[in-house]
Amino acid sequence: MSANERREHILELLNIRRSEKIENLAAEFGVTERTIRSDIEALTCCYPIKTKRGRYGGGVEVESWSTSSAAHCLPSKQSFCTGWLEPWTDTTWTR
């Protein structure tokens, strides 16, 4: 599964569940918590989701005013997000 596919699935799950822990998403997708945090960071650029801190790892939730039909990225924001995220999604980049 590519990063974009995973992010789409994360967004779909959040629209259904409204809130989820980072560790649960990581286990569900078989990736590290850091990968999920990167995905969430990318998604917050265009979608009404936010992270929350917590004693047990925190999580991510959809803004209370948002509905699934409102969670679509405007073309202007989408181009901004795509340009901003390119260096972070390059598969040749390593830490």
Side-chain angles (χ1 to χ4, degrees), residues 6 8 10 16 19 33 36 38 44 46 52 55-56 70-72 75 79:
R6 186 177 56 249
E8 286 178 23
I10 290 170
I16 294 168
S19 178
E33 289 184 28
I36 294 295
S38 295
T44 57
C46 293
K52 56 184 178 179
R55 173 184 259 179
Y56 303 104
H72 295 288
S79 64

Side-chain angles (χ1 to χ4, degrees), residues 22-62:
I22 299 291
E23 66 184 84
N24 292 346
L25 289 170
E28 191 165 339
F29 288 98
V31 296
T32 65
E33 289 184 28
R34 180 64 198 130
T35 298
I36 294 295
R37 289 183 198 284
S38 295
D39 290 341
I40 297 302
E41 186 176 341
L43 289 170
T44 57
C45 179
C46 293
Y47 297 97
I49 59 175
K50 64 180 179 180
T51 56
K52 56 184 178 179
R53 295 176 62 175
R55 173 184 259 179
Y56 303 104
V60 61
E61 63 185 21
V62 177

